[in-house]
Amino acid sequence: MLDDDRVRADIPGREPGSVFLDSAGSSLPPRVVVDTVVDHLRREAVVGGYRAANERLDDLAAVKTAIGALINAAPASIALSDSATRSWADFFYSIPLAEGDRILVSEADYASNAIAALQRARATGATVEKIPSDGTGQLDLDALAAMVDERVKLVSVLHAPTNGGLVNPAAEATRIAHSVGALVLLDACQSTGQLPIDVAELDVDALSATGRKWLRGPRGTGFLYVRPELAATLEPGRLDLHSAEWTGPEDYRLAPDASRFEFWECDVAARLGLGAAVRYLLDLGPANVYEAISARAEHLRKALPEISGVTVRDIGLRHSGIVSFTVDGVDSVDVRDRLAERNVTVTVSHAGSTLLDMTGRGLRSVVRASPHCFVSFEELDRFVAAVAALAS
Ligand SMILES: Cc1ncc(COP(=O)(O)O)c(C=O)c1O
């Protein structure tokens, strides 16, 4: 069980009377994250960025150790980056593709992933195909099994989409992809920090995640997990003097592990903040946090449909902490803005972010409420009352 009072007291940025429901966008960091970042920036201003970083080498190494503990991976299999998209693309663009190869994407896939897949398909002659969803809305495992053959080089599995509560059966999809030798890249941007992630159990080849959402880290942080055998063999599309060593006039040697997917320059303060965020989560107990998020989302999924004119849009068998809904006759952007007037923060997910899924369901946008463990049930009820007021 979480100590709710401690969790709430740990947030320096909470405004009295506000309701924060945008952890799927960019969450509120705990105090230790803010302090870690600010303290490092102040230190950089005194001794310069290089010396300040040198003073924190152990702490910087510990960032990967903490992430590894969270997702059950060796630190050497993790590359730190500045976003989930960067991580996803770094892995994706390192996969050799040729004419006739097939890339499979989830129906709930994120726009940035799909755009990258389409770009590479144009450049290589590979094809991009959608894995359909089943009657429940989750990735259709039977359809996937029927689609795969040895020409499939990569399956992009979207764990928890940006636009609603769906959780896709990632481990099962991975087993099917591996049966034909295809690689699996799991977009865990919306699941890391709110759902259990064990890369050994999931058996995915790579996983991308961001810092600022459910992990409650700083903006401009993210990471890529790469299966160790692949981290030692794949060649990233871009290299620098950190991802590789210049060994002679004609030669370079790639870093032996996932750090070949990193560049040397980075926001050191943000990275230290990411480490602090992950350690904070580990300290609270990830299972406690996941349970608290799920309880809050379920509370909303029960309460919102009781309001006349409100439709919860979440699909699938298993649900995440993202609750999506629409209000009859009120545009999602208006819902967001009118809630903001009451100091309630939600966001809107537009069709362009998850084009295949949203157009398939005839939706142009949905309102997205994503409560983290620090949101009280009283705040949730205030939010529900505010939605009821604007729906009537
Ligand atoms: C499912 C999903 N994947 C990827 C991303 C991109 O993350 P980032 O903005 O950190 O690159 C998002 C962002 O909202 C997302 O929801």
Side-chain angles (χ1 to χ4, degrees):
M1 276 281 281
L2 277 187
D3 177 347
D4 288 345
D5 292 338
R6 174 198 158 183
V7 167
R8 289 164 68 77
D10 279 348
I11 302 180
R14 267 171 39 89
E15 284 179 339
S18 68
V19 183
F20 185 83
L21 299 173
D22 190 24
S23 287
S26 192
S27 192
L28 303 184
R31 179 169 286 102
V32 64
V33 171
V34 179
D35 288 350
T36 299
V37 174
V38 172
D39 288 351
H40 192 74
L41 289 176
R42 291 198 188 288
R43 186 64 185 154
E44 285 185 340
V46 175
V47 297
Y50 286 14
R51 198 174 129 195
N54 281 340
E55 291 170 354
R56 303 296 299 274
L57 289 180
D58 288 348
D59 295 326
L60 282 166
V63 179
K64 290 188 189 180
T65 312
I67 294 171
L70 183 70
I71 67 168
N72 190 21
S77 63
I78 291 158
L80 299 175
S81 77
D82 55 20
S83 72
T85 302
R86 177 87 59 193
S87 306
W88 195 96
D90 282 348
F91 182 81
F92 177 68
Y93 281 84
S94 74
I95 306 299
L97 287 176
E99 173 110 35
D101 287 345
R102 302 168 65 205
I103 306 163
L104 306 187
V105 298
S106 308
E107 182 156 30
D109 229 312
Y110 190 65
S112 303
N113 306 347
I115 291 166
L118 291 171
Q119 185 193 33
R120 286 207 74 207
R122 278 187 196 168
T124 60
T127 58
V128 181
E129 296 160 54
K130 177 185 83 173
I131 310 162
S133 303
D134 66 17
T136 71
Q138 71 171 20
L139 186 146
D140 188 332
L141 294 167
D142 291 335
L144 175 62
M147 283 175 89
V148 292
D149 62 22
E150 71 292 343
R151 289 174 304 145
V152 177
K153 292 294 178 285
L154 184 104
V155 179
S156 168
V157 178
L158 204 295
H159 204 190
T162 202
N163 65 330
L166 168 71
V167 180
N168 269 323
E172 294 81 347
T174 301
R175 265 197 293 282
I176 295 168
H178 284 174
S179 70
V180 293
L183 297 176
V184 173
L185 171 50
L186 183 69
D187 181 330
C189 181
Q190 290 290 3
S191 50
T192 307
Q194 67 143 323
L195 296 171
I197 304 275
D198 180 326
V199 289
E201 246 173 48
L202 291 166
D203 201 27
V204 293
D205 300 289
L207 171 154
S208 55
T210 199
R212 71 180 183 279
K213 298 181 187 287
W214 299 95
L215 286 176
R216 302 173 62 197
R219 293 202 68 170
T221 59
F223 69 86
L224 169 70
Y225 156 80
V226 186
R227 180 191 290 285
E229 308 89 90
L230 289 172
T233 49
L234 284 176
E235 175 134 3
R238 305 272 185 278
L239 297 173
D240 79 343
L241 79 183
H242 170 86
S243 45
E245 184 188 348
W246 196 8
T247 51
E250 307 286 334
D251 266 320
Y252 62 89
R253 188 190 307 124
L254 289 163
D257 55 24
S259 63
R260 65 177 56 186
F261 288 93
E262 292 172 346
F263 271 10
W264 182 83
E265 174 56 357
C266 66
D267 183 338
V268 174
R271 273 197 185 168
L272 290 168
L274 176 64
V278 176
R279 276 195 305 279
Y280 180 79
L281 173 60
L282 291 170
D283 185 42
L284 288 181
N288 296 332
V289 172
Y290 305 157
E291 195 188 315
I293 293 169
S294 169
R296 283 152 180 77
E298 283 315 313
H299 186 80
L300 293 184
R301 281 192 197 97
K302 271 208 197 95
L304 287 170
E306 284 171 15
I307 306 170
S308 163
V310 172
T311 309
V312 170
R313 299 290 180 176
D314 297 335
I315 52 176
L317 284 175
R318 223 183 121 203
H319 286 146
S320 78
I322 300 178
V323 181
S324 59
F325 65 97
T326 52
V327 180
D328 288 352
V330 190
D331 188 76
S332 299
V333 170
D334 287 341
V335 175
R336 179 197 65 195
D337 293 347
R338 285 162 67 181
L339 289 172
E341 285 165 12
R342 293 168 175 247
N343 217 353
V344 175
T345 305
V346 294
T347 41
V348 175
S349 195
H350 295 279
S353 297
T354 40
L355 192 76
L356 301 177
D357 171 47
M358 292 286 271
T359 50
R361 290 196 279 152
L363 292 168
R364 281 192 303 121
S365 63
V366 291
V367 185
R368 188 177 70 174
S370 45
H372 213 299
C373 64
F374 54 76
V375 180
S376 72
F377 286 89
E378 184 271 321
E379 287 169 344
L380 294 178
D381 290 339
R382 248 190 296 138
F383 157 69
V384 172
V387 174
L390 68 85
S392 64

